Amino acid sequence: MATIYDVARLADVSAKTVSRVLNGDGPVGARTREAVQDAMAKLGYVPSNAARTMRSNRSGLVGLITGAITGAQESARPFGLPDLLIVQGIQRVMASRDMTLMIADTGGRADRVPHLVRTFLEHRAEGLIYVAEYHQQIRLPQVPDATPLVLVNCFDDAQSPAVLPDDRQGQHALVRRLVAAGHRRIAYLTLRADMEATPLRTAGYQDALAEAGLPFDPAIVRIGYQSDEEGEMQLLWDAIDDLLRLPEPPTVLCCGNDAMAMRVYGILRSRGVRVPDDMSVAGYDNHRIIAETLYPPLTTVELPYAAMGMKAADRLMSLIAGQGREEPAPTLVTGPVLWRDSVVERRAATLQSISL
């Protein structure tokens, strides 16, 4: 392996001159610089980043811990949007800042996280990012105060800087748009009650109803999500059966995620209920492989994962620079409502009935 002294001999300069070219910390003539660079290219010389890191106390490295890689390989069914989109958003910002992102996958094992944190610190990572697969509370091992940490799609008791989806505002925006389209009986098939998103989205749902002067009816709010596919299908069958038998059934079903909405389409069609002519359906996530390929295409709310990743990377870079340490946590990111053909506009019919 070539050394700095080999480069100096071939370029016919001193080792000090080669060092100046590498580090940009002293004046070097254009011809001399070109001679040194040519010598490095001919010898295949690779500068020692470790040595420069020790001198500058900057490594240019950021450590990211995620389960996205394993999750993408092992998932047999689509759960919302893969958190890999968060990683892509982070990478986009890091590349623009000339930082190197080191990514470690947990393999679905929480007990690996302390080892991964320690490994990144041993490699002198300037900051750490932890990405969770869905909005949840987590517990991480103690990270030195000198190493900035940002959480994405999760939060902890230590009030670490965090970037989260604004679940309450997302559901509020969807229901408000449904009301504007003329719907007055809006059912909500929620995720599990123990998931952080559920009470937040339910609150957003109620906010929009109250804003429109519509009553909240607990009879049209049902849990529609379970971890196993077979159990979820039965849960949805029962919920939809009960909703359709109500004296005043809903005109639209809001689903906790797009995968649930896909199953709702199937259940409704098996019962001879047309989407959206007889029943409108809306989802949550904007999982495009579902939302854009269903027929009719699915109205949904985008989980802003790419934007969350970019926001988290910006937040970490500010912390590394010694800025923004007093900013409140967490940072909430809102995604837009994507209005597609799975929801029928009832305004024209409503106006016609009023005029008659």
PDB file of all heavy atoms in Angstrom, residues 92-109:
ATOM      1  N   ARG A  92     -30.663  11.876   1.454  1.00  0.00           N
ATOM      2  CA  ARG A  92     -30.684  12.999   0.513  1.00  0.00           C
ATOM      3  C   ARG A  92     -30.042  14.242   1.134  1.00  0.00           C
ATOM      4  O   ARG A  92     -29.254  14.944   0.490  1.00  0.00           O
ATOM      5  CB  ARG A  92     -32.132  13.287   0.114  1.00  0.00           C
ATOM      6  CG  ARG A  92     -32.295  14.100  -1.146  1.00  0.00           C
ATOM      7  CD  ARG A  92     -33.765  14.162  -1.533  1.00  0.00           C
ATOM      8  NE  ARG A  92     -34.344  12.833  -1.631  1.00  0.00           N
ATOM      9  CZ  ARG A  92     -35.615  12.554  -1.442  1.00  0.00           C
ATOM     10  NH1 ARG A  92     -36.462  13.525  -1.117  1.00  0.00           N
ATOM     11  NH2 ARG A  92     -36.065  11.330  -1.570  1.00  0.00           N
ATOM     12  N   VAL A  93     -30.381  14.513   2.389  1.00  0.00           N
ATOM     13  CA  VAL A  93     -29.827  15.686   3.055  1.00  0.00           C
ATOM     14  C   VAL A  93     -28.355  15.482   3.373  1.00  0.00           C
ATOM     15  O   VAL A  93     -27.523  16.377   3.162  1.00  0.00           O
ATOM     16  CB  VAL A  93     -30.615  16.001   4.344  1.00  0.00           C
ATOM     17  CG1 VAL A  93     -29.930  17.093   5.151  1.00  0.00           C
ATOM     18  CG2 VAL A  93     -32.036  16.416   3.992  1.00  0.00           C
ATOM     19  N   MET A  94     -27.995  14.300   3.867  1.00  0.00           N
ATOM     20  CA  MET A  94     -26.598  14.050   4.227  1.00  0.00           C
ATOM     21  C   MET A  94     -25.675  14.161   3.016  1.00  0.00           C
ATOM     22  O   MET A  94     -24.570  14.695   3.100  1.00  0.00           O
ATOM     23  CB  MET A  94     -26.461  12.667   4.878  1.00  0.00           C
ATOM     24  CG  MET A  94     -27.111  12.564   6.246  1.00  0.00           C
ATOM     25  SD  MET A  94     -26.431  13.772   7.400  1.00  0.00           S
ATOM     26  CE  MET A  94     -27.582  13.615   8.761  1.00  0.00           C
ATOM     27  N   ALA A  95     -26.133  13.674   1.878  1.00  0.00           N
ATOM     28  CA  ALA A  95     -25.324  13.762   0.665  1.00  0.00           C
ATOM     29  C   ALA A  95     -25.108  15.221   0.263  1.00  0.00           C
ATOM     30  O   ALA A  95     -24.023  15.598  -0.185  1.00  0.00           O
ATOM     31  CB  ALA A  95     -25.992  12.991  -0.467  1.00  0.00           C
ATOM     32  N   SER A  96     -26.141  16.044   0.450  1.00  0.00           N
ATOM     33  CA  SER A  96     -26.013  17.452   0.092  1.00  0.00           C
ATOM     34  C   SER A  96     -25.081  18.197   1.032  1.00  0.00           C
ATOM     35  O   SER A  96     -24.574  19.272   0.698  1.00  0.00           O
ATOM     36  CB  SER A  96     -27.395  18.124   0.084  1.00  0.00           C
ATOM     37  OG  SER A  96     -27.896  18.266   1.403  1.00  0.00           O
ATOM     38  N   ARG A  97     -24.852  17.633   2.220  1.00  0.00           N
ATOM     39  CA  ARG A  97     -23.952  18.261   3.208  1.00  0.00           C
ATOM     40  C   ARG A  97     -22.575  17.598   3.226  1.00  0.00           C
ATOM     41  O   ARG A  97     -21.777  17.869   4.136  1.00  0.00           O
ATOM     42  CB  ARG A  97     -24.579  18.161   4.603  1.00  0.00           C
ATOM     43  CG  ARG A  97     -25.985  18.722   4.725  1.00  0.00           C
ATOM     44  CD  ARG A  97     -26.042  20.222   4.640  1.00  0.00           C
ATOM     45  NE  ARG A  97     -27.384  20.719   4.893  1.00  0.00           N
ATOM     46  CZ  ARG A  97     -27.868  21.009   6.093  1.00  0.00           C
ATOM     47  NH1 ARG A  97     -27.103  20.864   7.155  1.00  0.00           N
ATOM     48  NH2 ARG A  97     -29.107  21.458   6.237  1.00  0.00           N
ATOM     49  N   ASP A  98     -22.310  16.714   2.272  1.00  0.00           N
ATOM     50  CA  ASP A  98     -21.022  15.997   2.199  1.00  0.00           C
ATOM     51  C   ASP A  98     -20.755  15.178   3.460  1.00  0.00           C
ATOM     52  O   ASP A  98     -19.608  15.029   3.888  1.00  0.00           O
ATOM     53  CB  ASP A  98     -19.860  16.968   1.951  1.00  0.00           C
ATOM     54  CG  ASP A  98     -19.926  17.587   0.562  1.00  0.00           C
ATOM     55  OD1 ASP A  98     -20.344  16.884  -0.377  1.00  0.00           O
ATOM     56  OD2 ASP A  98     -19.557  18.763   0.420  1.00  0.00           O
ATOM     57  N   MET A  99     -21.809  14.642   4.051  1.00  0.00           N
ATOM     58  CA  MET A  99     -21.672  13.749   5.193  1.00  0.00           C
ATOM     59  C   MET A  99     -21.882  12.312   4.727  1.00  0.00           C
ATOM     60  O   MET A  99     -22.608  12.055   3.767  1.00  0.00           O
ATOM     61  CB  MET A  99     -22.702  14.091   6.270  1.00  0.00           C
ATOM     62  CG  MET A  99     -22.590  15.486   6.837  1.00  0.00           C
ATOM     63  SD  MET A  99     -21.127  15.723   7.864  1.00  0.00           S
ATOM     64  CE  MET A  99     -21.628  14.848   9.359  1.00  0.00           C
ATOM     65  N   THR A 100     -21.251  11.375   5.397  1.00  0.00           N
ATOM     66  CA  THR A 100     -21.384   9.959   5.070  1.00  0.00           C
ATOM     67  C   THR A 100     -22.309   9.297   6.072  1.00  0.00           C
ATOM     68  O   THR A 100     -22.099   9.385   7.288  1.00  0.00           O
ATOM     69  CB  THR A 100     -20.018   9.252   5.091  1.00  0.00           C
ATOM     70  OG1 THR A 100     -19.168   9.857   4.110  1.00  0.00           O
ATOM     71  CG2 THR A 100     -20.171   7.765   4.775  1.00  0.00           C
ATOM     72  N   LEU A 101     -23.358   8.662   5.557  1.00  0.00           N
ATOM     73  CA  LEU A 101     -24.341   8.002   6.408  1.00  0.00           C
ATOM     74  C   LEU A 101     -23.987   6.530   6.561  1.00  0.00           C
ATOM     75  O   LEU A 101     -23.938   5.786   5.583  1.00  0.00           O
ATOM     76  CB  LEU A 101     -25.730   8.150   5.793  1.00  0.00           C
ATOM     77  CG  LEU A 101     -26.936   7.746   6.648  1.00  0.00           C
ATOM     78  CD1 LEU A 101     -27.051   8.647   7.864  1.00  0.00           C
ATOM     79  CD2 LEU A 101     -28.216   7.802   5.824  1.00  0.00           C
ATOM     80  N   MET A 102     -23.726   6.107   7.784  1.00  0.00           N
ATOM     81  CA  MET A 102     -23.480   4.695   8.091  1.00  0.00           C
ATOM     82  C   MET A 102     -24.785   4.100   8.596  1.00  0.00           C
ATOM     83  O   MET A 102     -25.343   4.573   9.581  1.00  0.00           O
ATOM     84  CB  MET A 102     -22.387   4.548   9.156  1.00  0.00           C
ATOM     85  CG  MET A 102     -21.054   5.158   8.791  1.00  0.00           C
ATOM     86  SD  MET A 102     -19.773   4.795  10.031  1.00  0.00           S
ATOM     87  CE  MET A 102     -20.428   5.657  11.467  1.00  0.00           C
ATOM     88  N   ILE A 103     -25.276   3.075   7.908  1.00  0.00           N
ATOM     89  CA  ILE A 103     -26.583   2.500   8.234  1.00  0.00           C
ATOM     90  C   ILE A 103     -26.421   1.111   8.836  1.00  0.00           C
ATOM     91  O   ILE A 103     -25.712   0.265   8.282  1.00  0.00           O
ATOM     92  CB  ILE A 103     -27.472   2.417   6.984  1.00  0.00           C
ATOM     93  CG1 ILE A 103     -27.650   3.807   6.366  1.00  0.00           C
ATOM     94  CG2 ILE A 103     -28.830   1.814   7.331  1.00  0.00           C
ATOM     95  CD1 ILE A 103     -28.425   3.807   5.075  1.00  0.00           C
ATOM     96  N   ALA A 104     -27.063   0.881   9.961  1.00  0.00           N
ATOM     97  CA  ALA A 104     -27.057  -0.434  10.607  1.00  0.00           C
ATOM     98  C   ALA A 104     -28.492  -0.881  10.825  1.00  0.00           C
ATOM     99  O   ALA A 104     -29.327  -0.104  11.309  1.00  0.00           O
ATOM    100  CB  ALA A 104     -26.314  -0.385  11.939  1.00  0.00           C
ATOM    101  N   ASP A 105     -28.795  -2.104  10.455  1.00  0.00           N
ATOM    102  CA  ASP A 105     -30.134  -2.650  10.614  1.00  0.00           C
ATOM    103  C   ASP A 105     -30.191  -3.511  11.874  1.00  0.00           C
ATOM    104  O   ASP A 105     -29.272  -4.274  12.173  1.00  0.00           O
ATOM    105  CB  ASP A 105     -30.499  -3.483   9.387  1.00  0.00           C
ATOM    106  CG  ASP A 105     -31.968  -3.869   9.386  1.00  0.00           C
ATOM    107  OD1 ASP A 105     -32.775  -3.084   8.869  1.00  0.00           O
ATOM    108  OD2 ASP A 105     -32.298  -4.956   9.906  1.00  0.00           O
ATOM    109  N   THR A 106     -31.289  -3.389  12.606  1.00  0.00           N
ATOM    110  CA  THR A 106     -31.421  -4.127  13.863  1.00  0.00           C
ATOM    111  C   THR A 106     -31.730  -5.602  13.660  1.00  0.00           C
ATOM    112  O   THR A 106     -31.607  -6.391  14.596  1.00  0.00           O
ATOM    113  CB  THR A 106     -32.540  -3.525  14.726  1.00  0.00           C
ATOM    114  OG1 THR A 106     -33.787  -3.651  14.010  1.00  0.00           O
ATOM    115  CG2 THR A 106     -32.281  -2.059  15.012  1.00  0.00           C
ATOM    116  N   GLY A 107     -32.153  -5.967  12.450  1.00  0.00           N
ATOM    117  CA  GLY A 107     -32.569  -7.342  12.226  1.00  0.00           C
ATOM    118  C   GLY A 107     -33.803  -7.706  13.015  1.00  0.00           C
ATOM    119  O   GLY A 107     -34.069  -8.880  13.280  1.00  0.00           O
ATOM    120  N   GLY A 108     -34.582  -6.691  13.397  1.00  0.00           N
ATOM    121  CA  GLY A 108     -35.794  -6.930  14.173  1.00  0.00           C
ATOM    122  C   GLY A 108     -35.532  -7.226  15.639  1.00  0.00           C
ATOM    123  O   GLY A 108     -36.444  -7.634  16.357  1.00  0.00           O
ATOM    124  N   ARG A 109     -34.309  -6.999  16.108  1.00  0.00           N
ATOM    125  CA  ARG A 109     -33.939  -7.315  17.504  1.00  0.00           C
ATOM    126  C   ARG A 109     -33.571  -6.036  18.251  1.00  0.00           C
ATOM    127  O   ARG A 109     -32.551  -5.401  17.956  1.00  0.00           O
ATOM    128  CB  ARG A 109     -32.768  -8.285  17.522  1.00  0.00           C
ATOM    129  CG  ARG A 109     -33.088  -9.679  17.027  1.00  0.00           C
ATOM    130  CD  ARG A 109     -31.836 -10.528  16.971  1.00  0.00           C
ATOM    131  NE  ARG A 109     -31.050 -10.437  18.194  1.00  0.00           N
ATOM    132  CZ  ARG A 109     -29.802 -10.922  18.312  1.00  0.00           C
ATOM    133  NH1 ARG A 109     -29.239 -11.531  17.275  1.00  0.00           N
ATOM    134  NH2 ARG A 109     -29.143 -10.800  19.440  1.00  0.00           N
TER     135      ARG A 109
END
